């Protein structure tokens, strides 16, 4: 059985992991017969957003505790992730990727990445294991891997510029498809950067999961 790590960044599109993307990823992996192992950083979120008003709330939440809502409690701190125990890695989107896994939302191309995520992704990459990123999360790839990676995250010109400043190669891609950097075993899809519905997001996410699992064989 293929074991796939899924890194979450909270619970909710505006301040954590995008819930629909996360669940679609889990569903596709489960249908394919893969074992899913969840990870998230054990640290405070950048902030908490009211998802009705989109306004910041005066409270603090922990990324790992919030991510456990999606994982139904079965989740481990990102610091404990061991690439030797995984065959592949997938990171769903949501603003948590730009706020909790990195500070891209605040610093753009000058961003830094969570050190535990850097360690895990680089170890996976050095072992020749595939990784899949979706929605906004691919913005981290050039800094995570320290090289030019072919990737997509939609058609937001400002974000595309930042990706290219960081050394990435952005490829425009429709919502129902993926971009594969074959040499580096990196798969990306736009998901909710372009999707107008959950079924649209599912098409690209299903392809991403299929391709990541193919590359893990």
């Amino acid at each position: 059985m293929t074991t796939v790590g899924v890194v979450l960044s909270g619970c909710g599109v505006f301040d954590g992991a995008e819930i629909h993307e996360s669940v679609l990823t889990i569903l596709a992996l489960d249908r394919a017969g893969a074992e899913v192992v969840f990870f998230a950083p054990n640290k405070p979120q950048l902030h908490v957003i009211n998802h009705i008003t989109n306004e910041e709330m005066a409270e603090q939440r922990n990324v790992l505790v919030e991510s456990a809502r999606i994982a139904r409690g079965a989740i481990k701190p990102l610091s404990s992730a061991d690439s030797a125990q995984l065959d592949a890695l997938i990171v769903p989107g949501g603003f948590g990727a730009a706020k909790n896994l990195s500070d891209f939302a605040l610093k753009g191309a000058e961003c830094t990445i969570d050190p535990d995520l850097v360690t895990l992704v680089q170890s996976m990459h050095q072992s020749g294991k595939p990784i899949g990123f979706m929605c906004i999360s691919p913005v981290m790839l050039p800094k995570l891997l320290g090289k030019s990676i072919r990737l997509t995250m939609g058609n937001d010109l400002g974000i595309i510029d930042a990706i290219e400043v960081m050394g990435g190669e952005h490829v425009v891609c429709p919502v129902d498809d993926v971009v594969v950097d074959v040499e580096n075993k990196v798969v990306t899809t736009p998901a909710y950067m372009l999707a107008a519905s959950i079924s649209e997001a599912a098409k690209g996410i299903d392809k991403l999961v299929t391709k990541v699992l193919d590359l893990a064989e």
Side-chain angles (χ1 to χ4, degrees):
M1 179 182 288
T2 303
T3 301
V4 181
V6 174
V7 177
L8 301 175
S9 57
C11 183
V13 57
F14 299 128
D15 58 10
E18 214 297 321
I19 297 171
H20 293 181
E21 291 177 0
S22 301
V23 173
L24 289 167
T25 298
I26 301 161
L27 179 61
L29 287 168
D30 187 64
R31 283 178 168 167
E35 178 186 5
V36 179
V37 184
F38 294 101
F39 301 100
N42 185 9
K43 65 183 183 183
Q45 293 182 185
L46 172 66
H47 56 203
V48 179
I49 298 294
N50 180 322
H51 278 59
I52 297 175
T53 65
N54 205 17
E55 294 177 352
E56 189 171 342
M57 300 173 69
E59 61 179 89
Q60 274 200 339
R61 297 188 186 183
N62 178 281
V63 179
L64 179 61
V65 172
E66 290 300 295
S67 298
R69 295 175 180 270
I70 297 174
R72 295 174 61 87
I75 192 167
K76 302 174 183 178
L78 184 57
S79 59
S80 71
D82 179 1
S83 66
Q85 305 299 317
L86 303 173
D87 300 304
L89 187 72
I90 296 179
V91 182
F95 278 106
K99 294 178 177 180
N100 302 326
L101 298 182
S102 73
D103 54 10
F104 180 83
L106 301 177
K107 298 183 179 179
E110 301 301 316
C111 68
T112 56
I113 314 295
D114 182 285
D116 292 324
L117 183 63
V118 173
T119 298
L120 177 59
V121 169
Q122 290 187 356
S123 181
M124 295 290 292
H125 181 64
Q126 289 161 8
S127 300
K129 297 177 179 179
I131 57 176
F133 282 58
M134 64 189 70
C135 191
I136 188 67
S137 71
V139 300
M140 299 184 286
L141 284 166
K143 290 203 171 184
L144 277 168
L145 296 177
K147 60 172 72 173
S148 181
I149 302 293
R150 294 182 74 251
L151 60 91
T152 192
M153 43 55 60
N155 55 16
D156 184 300
L157 295 179
I159 297 177
I160 291 170
D161 285 347
I163 288 170
E164 293 179 347
V165 167
M166 290 187 282
E169 177 189 346
H170 186 267
V171 180
V172 174
C173 172
V175 66
D176 61 351
D177 208 353
V178 296
V179 169
V180 183
D181 186 319
V182 177
E183 180 181 351
N184 292 297
K185 292 190 176 181
V186 175
V187 187
T188 54
T189 191
Y192 271 107
M193 292 301 291
L194 294 180
S197 68
I198 190 169
S199 58
E200 279 194 355
K203 293 174 183 176
I205 292 171
D206 284 348
K207 286 184 179 178
L208 180 144
V209 168
T210 297
K211 189 62 181 180
V212 167
L213 292 175
D214 286 347
L215 291 171
E217 292 180 352

